[in-house]
Amino acid sequence: MGSEREDIIFQALLLIHIPVFCFFTAVSCQSDSSSSVVVAGYNVTAPAGSRVVLQCVSGRMVWTRDSVRDRQRVVHWDMYREHPNYAMERVVDMFSSGDQTIYNSYNLGRVNLSPKAFKDGNFSLVIKDVTMNDRGLYSCNLHHFYCHLYETIRVQLNVTKSRRKEQRFWDGQKAVFVVLLGSTVVLPCINRRTVWTDWSDEEGDQQVVHWDRQPPGVRHDSADRLVDLYASGEQRSYGPMFLQRKMNISNKAFAEGDFSLTISNLQPTDQGMYSCHLHHHYCGLHERREFQVTVEPPLIQTTVAAKALPSEDKDITKAESPRVINVILPDQKHHFLLPLGYVLTSFLLLAFIILIILLVTRRNRSKEYDPRASVRSSRSQSSSDEFEMDVTEVNASSREERRFDYKNNLLREKVNVNTQPKVIDLDKEMQKFSK
């Protein structure tokens, strides 16, 4: 028993959930369908401190509600005959006030529209006592001049004398009615959109224009609202008071169709994406125009001193006014190559110094590990040893020569001592001396 109750409760909740889900889906679809469509985009650049106007003009949003409002919506039926002269003929007109105009006296009393057409959306044409002359292509034209809407429905009417041939079908482009001669036919034209069937007295609340601003880096859904303007005359401004004073829309916007935003004393903080949204819920109009605003540095105005005429004499008594020299510095964005050249030069110089250091270090390392250097060192050592040996030999020979000279001197002294001449055998004396 308890399980059956739970099943019943679950089914009831499910039945309740389905319509609620469908309702929210429809609402979300409606909100998505009412989102504005971007129709134009502009790039605006102005110097700081200047006054800029973001043009947003639309003839479809002009406030035209006046005493002739009932003539804004109209339906008329036309007929196109192939025979005999391919002529187009106006059959009937009807305005939203209910006034009908029948253009051919032959159709008086047998062709008409429902007096409640603009209330129930049924604009079908009723033709009584159909004749062969009624054959042709009929078109139901719905015009809404205020909303700039035009819709057309076409119906082909053929007449036959045989009841068996009566039929209605679709030929791929239009409906075709084959009716019996002398009968009554209703050519369908049904359109129950609110724009045709209703003229709200609160239309001023359905027609609104608003401006948004996206600072750099901010998404569209996070934009700041600047101003709202309704066709009824109500205007709402947002943000600080100084912002409201420098950004405004004309009070005659809906009368002239000009919803341009004027920004005075433009500053770098005013940069960003501005968007003009036009909403006419009654006519189904949702448009957006975007403006990318860029602020440049203020313009430098140069003053030129007035030159005195050659015939004028200078007044020495008056103090000479100080001379002003105006120097115009070039814009840095046009001379960005100069600092770039400095950076590249410094970089190349540093690279050159590092290259020299690397080459010197590599050369020193190659000398340390070069086998030729060891061979040279060994050769130099051997040569030094030979030099030492040669030096010792030279020293020894010099000593022998000294000994020999000393002996010769002693021998000569002995010879000189003896006054008597003697024959001295030098060879013997040398031998003695040597012994």
Side-chain angles (χ1 to χ4, degrees):
M1 189 73 177
S3 60
E4 293 179 355
R5 290 181 179 178
E6 291 178 357
D7 292 339
I8 294 173
I9 294 173
F10 177 76
Q11 293 177 1
L13 292 175
L14 184 61
L15 293 175
I16 294 173
H17 176 73
I18 291 175
V20 171
F21 175 77
C22 295
F23 172 75
F24 281 106
T25 303
V27 171
S28 63
C29 293
Q30 184 177 3
S31 62
D32 293 338
S33 62
S34 62
S35 60
S36 56
V37 179
V38 179
V39 297
Y42 307 92
N43 291 324
V44 180
T45 303
S50 63
R51 179 175 176 269
V52 65
V53 178
L54 306 182
Q55 294 289 338
C56 183
V57 181
S58 175
R60 300 183 63 183
M61 294 287 288
V62 176
W63 181 252
T64 56
R65 184 180 178 187
D66 50 21
S67 58
V68 296
R69 63 173 186 170
D70 290 334
R71 300 185 66 84
Q72 294 292 330
R73 294 177 296 168
V74 62
V75 56
H76 60 260
W77 278 87
D78 296 333
M79 183 181 65
Y80 175 75
R81 286 194 179 94
E82 295 183 359
H83 301 286
N85 51 0
Y86 301 96
M88 178 71 71
E89 178 183 342
R90 176 64 54 87
V91 179
V92 62
D93 278 345
M94 181 178 179
F95 292 93
S96 57
S97 58
D99 299 334
Q100 296 187 25
T101 302
I102 298 176
Y103 290 89
N104 194 340
S105 59
Y106 174 75
N107 292 326
L108 292 174
R110 72 184 198 97
V111 175
N112 61 7
L113 297 172
S114 172
K116 299 180 180 180
F118 283 96
K119 292 183 180 180
D120 55 16
N122 188 354
F123 304 96
S124 301
L125 179 66
V126 180
I127 304 176
K128 300 177 181 179
D129 298 331
V130 177
T131 64
M132 289 295 179
N133 194 35
D134 294 328
R135 290 179 301 178
L137 179 62
Y138 290 79
S139 60
C140 174
N141 303 281
L142 294 170
H143 294 284
H144 201 309
F145 298 104
Y146 176 51
C147 295
H148 299 267
L149 297 177
Y150 307 94
E151 298 181 6
T152 300
I153 299 176
R154 292 181 175 87
V155 181
Q156 177 68 44
L157 178 61
N158 295 332
V159 181
T160 181
K161 296 180 180 180
S162 175
R163 188 177 295 274
R164 291 180 303 151
K165 295 182 180 181
E166 283 188 298
Q167 60 177 334
R168 300 176 183 178
F169 61 93
W170 178 263
D171 66 352
Q173 296 180 350
K174 59 186 178 300
V176 180
F177 283 66
V178 181
V179 299
L180 185 63
L181 181 65
S183 63
T184 301
V185 64
V186 178
L187 303 182
C189 181
I190 299 174
N191 194 322
R192 292 189 171 90
R193 287 182 56 190
T194 306
V195 69
W196 304 112
T197 60
D198 181 32
W199 187 280
S200 176
D201 293 335
E202 299 177 355
E203 185 184 347
D205 296 334
Q206 298 185 12
Q207 194 172 359
V208 61
V209 174
H210 62 259
W211 278 87
D212 292 342
R213 174 179 174 270
Q214 298 172 238
V218 177
R219 297 176 54 186
H220 171 68
D221 53 0
S222 302
D224 298 330
R225 179 64 54 84
L226 297 176
V227 62
D228 284 340
L229 181 63
Y230 292 86
S232 59
E234 181 182 0
Q235 182 173 351
R236 302 174 185 176
S237 299
Y238 303 91
M241 185 60 64
F242 76 92
L243 192 63
Q244 298 179 17
R245 292 176 179 174
K246 68 182 301 184
M247 298 185 182
N248 55 64
I249 305 177
S250 173
N251 295 329
K252 300 179 180 180
F254 281 99
E256 300 174 353
D258 188 356
F259 308 95
S260 303
L261 179 69
T262 303
I263 306 175
S264 58
N265 192 18
L266 191 65
Q267 298 298 325
T269 55
D270 298 328
Q271 293 186 132
M273 177 71 74
Y274 291 77
S275 55
C276 174
H277 300 255
L278 304 178
H279 293 286
H280 199 314
H281 303 287
Y282 172 69
C283 295
L285 174 66
H286 303 280
E287 296 179 352
R288 183 170 80 248
R289 293 163 175 79
E290 295 182 344
F291 303 84
Q292 182 65 47
V293 178
T294 304
V295 181
E296 292 184 341
L299 296 176
I300 300 176
Q301 298 180 355
T302 59
T303 57
V304 180
K307 298 181 179 180
L309 296 176
S311 59
E312 293 182 356
D313 297 332
K314 295 183 179 180
D315 191 356
I316 303 176
T317 59
K318 294 183 179 180
E320 186 178 359
S321 60
R323 297 180 180 179
V324 179
I325 301 176
N326 295 316
V327 180
I328 302 176
L329 297 177
D331 194 357
Q332 295 297 330
K333 67 181 181 181
H334 298 294
H335 297 79
F336 67 94
L337 293 177
L338 187 60
L340 182 61
Y342 292 150
V343 174
L344 292 177
T345 304
S346 303
F347 178 76
L348 292 176
L349 182 61
L350 180 62
F352 182 71
I353 294 173
I354 293 174
L355 181 62
I356 292 176
I357 294 173
L358 291 176
L359 292 175
V360 172
T361 306
R362 186 176 180 181
R363 186 174 182 181
N364 292 334
R365 289 182 180 178
S366 63
K367 286 183 178 180
E368 291 177 0
Y369 297 99
D370 192 0
R372 298 179 181 177
S374 61
V375 172
R376 291 176 182 175
S377 63
S378 62
R379 289 181 178 178
S380 62
Q381 185 176 1
S382 61
S383 62
S384 62
D385 293 338
E386 293 177 355
F387 180 73
E388 290 178 359
M389 292 176 65
D390 294 339
V391 170
T392 53
E393 292 176 355
V394 170
N395 292 332
S397 61
S398 62
R399 289 177 182 177
E400 291 294 332
E401 289 178 355
R402 288 178 183 178
R403 279 184 180 184
F404 184 75
D405 293 337
Y406 181 72
K407 289 179 180 181
N408 289 332
N409 292 331
L410 289 177
L411 183 59
R412 288 176 181 174
E413 288 178 357
K414 286 181 179 182
V415 172
N416 293 329
V417 170
N418 296 324
T419 58
Q420 295 178 2
K422 293 180 178 179
V423 178
I424 298 173
D425 192 354
L426 294 175
D427 295 330
K428 291 181 179 180
E429 290 295 332
M430 291 293 296
Q431 291 178 356
K432 291 180 180 179
F433 182 78
S434 62
K435 291 179 179 180

